[in-house]
Amino acid sequence: MNDSFELDPLAVRAGIERSQFNEHAEALYLTSSFVFDSAAQAAARFSGAEPGNVYSRFTNPTVHVFEQRLAALEGAQRCVATASGMSAILATVMGLLSAGDHVVASRSIFGTTVQLFTKILARFGVETTLVSPTCLEEWRAAVRPETKLLFAETPSNPLTEVCDIAALGAIAHEAEAKLAVDNCFCTPMLQRPLELGADIVIHSATKYLDGQGRVLGGAVLGDTQLLEGVYGFLRTAGPTLSAFNAWVILKGLETLKIRMEAQSQRTLALAHWLEAQPAVARVYYPELPSHPQHALAMRQQKSGGAILAFDVKGGKEAAWRVVDKTRLLSITANLGDTKTTITHPATTTHSRVTAEQRAAAGIGDGLLRVAVGLEAVTDIQADLSRGLG
Ligand SMILES: *Cc1c(COP(=O)(O)O)cnc(C)c1O
């Protein structure tokens, strides 16, 4: 496990620029535009000859603090904040790809990301090949001369499959393509993809970065030069992060490390407990020695993270009973919150794919996913026990 970086001071302090009032906390600049001292200054700001704010679709001081702080945490040269995780992915592909380009993506990425690639991008002449997250041979075989981007998400949802970031980076670079990693589930507190060989990191800040289920947000991180086109798309097309949401998520970043550590610890304890339950057939969690990619996960992640899945014996009926007997857990597909959530993927997040596709992906009718929050693990166990008995 990688313990070589100290992220605590960065999470609470990076990026602060105080105004003339010398405020201690980060100021919230709710303003759509900025005023200039003169016609000459206005011209210089618009031409870019003089740095400074013009309009909040381009830059905003509160959004800038969020960008600086997340860049420090991910070890990135630059961060571009976006209105949501999906707009971060959209800005990445619009910034980097053109008609005729090809993408290789893990089959186990966020469902809406699959839709974006296969339904929307396809209309603009960008083709995507979906491959197994864990089979490097499939990634290698899918690469073509026109491949410009490899796209991975690790660990995956809901089965916690782990992609080998360093190996995928090598495959991408051999093909002169870029590797983008959606780091939503680990956050920089548990995994830093740029250090492992990725070129771009993507976040849905809606999840752990906020961490309390309040606002939507997203971010793209990487080299300054690589992000120029991403930023260019955002300032032109407009899905930028609002100053208010940036301010809320900044406050989330300050507690990110202790939340990720505490939620991971609870998840590991819950995973061990679930493995010992007679009604549970299998538990999916990267920090369990029984996980097929345990060694890889522990090399590239600081812990297993706060999401696990498990198969209940007895299929859908038994799984639904567990869900319906809970009193504490929230029955919702959302994750990354301090409140623990439970979902039945086959009839919710993965209900749009066919039963055959689900079976091929290993998402059975008895599978449940739990995104563990900050409740006591004994209370979470008691809540699950009622339906497992
Ligand atoms: C939620 C999620 C997204 C999309 O983020 P939004 O903020 O909802 O647009 C992308 N990737 C992953 C892994 C997610 O969980």
Side-chain angles (χ1 to χ4, degrees), residues 38-178:
S38 64
Q41 190 188 45
R45 288 274 178 92
F46 268 84
S47 73
E50 179 185 305
N53 298 297
V54 171
Y55 187 55
S56 284
R57 173 153 41 77
F58 309 163
T59 56
N60 172 283
T62 309
V63 174
H64 185 67
V65 179
F66 166 70
E67 291 173 333
Q68 296 298 102
R69 191 167 294 180
L70 189 57
L73 294 175
E74 285 285 8
Q77 283 180 0
R78 184 163 183 196
C79 170
V80 176
T82 61
S84 65
M86 286 321 300
S87 53
I89 298 169
L90 177 67
T92 301
V93 297
M94 296 304 269
L96 298 185
L97 304 177
S98 301
D101 289 344
H102 174 247
V103 178
V104 183
S106 159
R107 200 176 284 129
S108 303
I109 52 180
F110 189 60
T112 314
T113 312
V114 175
Q115 301 290 316
L116 175 69
F117 283 134
T118 58
K119 299 271 165 27
I120 297 178
L121 277 191
R123 283 178 19 226
F124 297 89
V126 174
E127 209 184 315
T128 300
T129 305
L130 298 174
V131 296
S132 153
T134 56
C135 177
L136 293 173
E137 270 321 302
E138 268 193 49
W139 288 84
R140 248 182 236 114
V143 170
R144 306 174 189 166
E146 58 276 20
T147 303
K148 290 279 159 53
L149 181 70
L150 270 59
F151 192 99
E153 183 184 310
T154 180
S156 74
N157 177 21
L159 293 174
T160 72
E161 300 148 292
V162 178
C163 295
D164 186 334
I165 296 173
L168 293 183
I171 294 171
H173 300 149
E174 208 172 297
E176 291 180 22
K178 303 296 181 194

Side-chain angles (χ1 to χ4, degrees), residues 259-340:
R259 280 189 284 110
M260 292 311 292
E261 287 172 356
Q263 290 176 230
S264 294
Q265 279 165 9
R266 283 160 171 74
T267 314
L268 179 61
L270 185 66
H272 281 301
W273 178 82
L274 282 167
E275 266 196 331
Q277 300 309 301
V280 172
R282 183 171 169 191
V283 182
Y284 306 81
Y285 184 61
E287 205 168 338
L288 286 178
S290 60
H291 190 283
Q293 296 146 295
H294 176 67
L296 167 64
M298 293 300 97
R299 264 202 317 278
Q300 67 182 22
Q301 301 174 208
K302 271 191 146 188
S303 75
I307 293 168
L308 61 72
F310 59 102
D311 283 315
V312 180
K313 290 176 189 163
K316 179 184 147 184
E317 204 181 316
W320 274 26
R321 191 175 65 232
V322 174
V323 173
D324 289 336
K325 291 270 184 191
T326 61
R327 291 182 211 148
L328 180 70
L329 273 49
S330 310
I331 306 171
T332 172
N334 196 32
L335 58 94
D337 203 296
T338 52
K339 298 177 178 70
T340 300

Side-chain angles (χ1 to χ4, degrees), residues 1 8 42 71 165 215 341 344 359 377 383:
M1 278 181 244
D8 318 56
I165 296 173
V215 297
T341 67
H344 181 243
V377 72
D383 212 39

Side-chain angles (χ1 to χ4, degrees), residues 175-194:
E176 291 180 22
K178 303 296 181 194
L179 172 65
V181 174
D182 184 331
N183 202 25
C184 180
F185 287 179
C186 276
T187 84
M189 296 312 181
L190 303 185
Q191 171 173 279
R192 304 220 297 170
L194 297 175

Side-chain angles (χ1 to χ4, degrees), residues 7-18 24-27 62-76 79 188-189 192 221 246-256:
L7 297 178
D8 318 56
L10 298 177
V12 296
R13 292 190 180 271
I16 290 189
E17 284 168 37
R18 298 202 165 92
H24 189 205
E26 298 75 5
T62 309
V63 174
H64 185 67
V65 179
F66 166 70
E67 291 173 333
Q68 296 298 102
R69 191 167 294 180
L70 189 57
L73 294 175
E74 285 285 8
C79 170
M189 296 312 181
R192 304 220 297 170
L221 299 106
W247 181 80
V248 170
I249 301 164
L250 261 174
K251 291 288 141 194
L253 288 182
E254 294 182 5
T255 57
L256 180 63

